[in-house]
């Protein structure tokens, strides 16, 4: 009897964990290591308690090919923040968030691509910019204020 109720308990526990795993499915990037999947389960639990979601700020590179974004200042609430940059131009661009010990870069994307940088941010001032070539120096940057 005891062993049976233990199994029922384990099953009840396993179902919500599996549901969580479907959310951020980036498996396959590493090897088929069993210790890696154990770590991932723990991460999933932590993410669930923090509420998930977060805030997404959308910006765009200049469609005419100028080295600038369509916004030079952004504001977000503290927590998980994503900057999502559309690239309608013929130049490669990316978006990067930097400041207060954080440095996260999105993929460099070509025309019609979307670059995303996501970071857990505390209140403070951050920079966002394009890390491609000299784009930042040329003016492809702005300020992200987190409150
Ligand atoms: Cu750029």
């Amino acid at each position: 009897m005891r062993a049976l109720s233990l199994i029922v308990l384990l099953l009840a526990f396993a179902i919500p964990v599996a549901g969580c795993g479907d959310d951020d499915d980036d498996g396959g990037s590493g090897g088929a290591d069993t210790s890696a999947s154990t770590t991932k389960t723990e991460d999933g639990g932590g993410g669930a308690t923090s509420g998930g979601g977060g805030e997404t700020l959308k910006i765009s590179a200049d469609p005419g090919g100028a080295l600038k974004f369509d916004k030079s200042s952004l504001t977000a609430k503290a927590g998980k923040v994503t900057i999502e940059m559309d690239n309608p131009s013929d130049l490669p661009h990316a978006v990067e968030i930097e400041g207060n010990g954080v440095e996260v870069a999105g993929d460099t994307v070509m025309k019609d691509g979307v670059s995303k940088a996501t970071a857990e941010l505390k209140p403070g001032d951050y920079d966002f910019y394009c890390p491609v070539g000299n784009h930042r120096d040329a003016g492809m940057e702005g300020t992200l204020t987190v409150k």
Side-chain angles (χ1 to χ4, degrees):
M1 282 299 270
R2 267 193 120 176
L4 192 77
S5 58
L6 242 178
I7 288 165
V8 171
L9 261 175
L10 283 171
L11 279 175
F13 212 82
I15 289 161
V17 168
C20 219
D22 287 342
D23 252 334
D24 52 353
D25 181 22
D26 62 350
S29 54
D33 194 348
T34 40
S35 68
S37 59
T38 307
T39 312
K40 208 177 155 195
T41 307
E42 283 166 12
D43 283 344
T49 36
S50 73
E55 195 168 345
T56 299
L57 307 166
K58 294 197 175 191
I59 62 172
S60 174
D62 187 90
L67 294 176
K68 62 179 186 182
F69 294 121
D70 64 340
K71 290 174 188 143
S72 59
S73 67
L74 296 170
T75 309
K77 279 183 288 184
K80 187 176 168 190
V81 178
T82 300
I83 298 182
E84 196 177 301
M85 181 209 69
D86 288 328
N87 182 8
S89 79
D90 290 322
L91 298 168
H93 293 301
V95 67
E96 180 159 342
I97 303 172
E98 191 179 303
N100 303 310
V102 173
E103 189 170 358
V104 183
D107 293 335
T108 299
V109 294
M110 299 303 292
K111 188 177 177 70
D112 296 330
V114 177
S115 180
K116 287 186 199 178
T118 302
E120 200 71 41
L121 300 180
K122 298 187 184 107
D125 290 335
Y126 299 80
D127 294 318
F128 66 91
Y129 62 92
C130 175
V132 175
N134 69 333
H135 294 190
R136 182 183 189 178
D137 288 340
M140 227 173 163
E141 63 178 342
T143 307
L144 168 62
T145 305
V146 177
K147 292 175 179 172

